[in-house]
Amino acid sequence: QVQLVESGGGLVQAGGSLTLSCAASGDLSIGTMGWSRQAPGKQRELVAGITRGANTNYADSVKGRFTISRDNAKNTVYLQMNSLKPEDTAVYYCYADERWSGIRYDSRSQGTQVTVSP
């Protein structure tokens, strides 16, 4: 099992920036890590992912504004969010894939709230 704890959310005005962090702990070897988000009344959507080798992918809606990075030694993934828009308002969750099986572990925490005011 893996435990995932997010931090770094908050309230920011449109155009502002926030950085989210997620630390993974447990007795598994971690592979790909990433972020998803869920806005009120909407389904959860993938935002960004990063492999151990730092290959990244992003949702079209955040490309050019968000940057995902990680520290393999700390099993920590980050999401730098710039040029935030009100439509980025959501609860953000992280996930981690077990390195060898690819089994995905989604955060079971409350996530971290990001609110972007107009």
Side-chain angles (χ1 to χ4, degrees):
Q1 290 292 328
V2 60
Q3 291 77 44
L4 301 164
V5 180
E6 304 94 342
S7 62
L11 173 64
V12 65
Q13 288 187 329
S17 299
L18 284 173
T19 300
L20 307 183
S21 300
C22 173
S25 61
D27 57 0
L28 296 179
S29 181
I30 303 298
T32 297
M33 299 184 75
W35 294 90
S36 61
R37 66 186 181 185
Q38 187 165 19
K42 295 187 177 181
Q43 289 188 330
R44 190 175 296 193
E45 62 171 347
L46 292 176
V47 174
I50 183 168
T51 67
R52 289 184 65 88
N55 291 315
T56 59
N57 61 81
Y58 298 92
D60 287 343
S61 57
V62 306
K63 281 182 181 177
R65 300 187 298 120
F66 290 10
T67 301
I68 189 170
S69 60
R70 66 186 289 168
D71 183 332
N72 289 335
K74 297 180 179 179
N75 277 339
T76 299
V77 63
Y78 307 94
L79 188 67
Q80 173 68 43
M81 305 184 294
N82 298 326
S83 302
L84 282 161
K85 303 176 181 180
E87 50 263 44
D88 294 317
T89 295
V91 179
Y92 285 70
Y93 303 90
C94 69
Y95 67 84
D97 295 345
E98 201 281 330
R99 185 175 182 180
W100 308 116
S101 68
I103 294 174
R104 176 155 298 178
Y105 293 87
D106 289 307
S107 170
R108 295 183 179 182
S109 74
Q110 297 179 29
T112 187
Q113 176 71 48
V114 172
T115 303
V116 185
S117 62

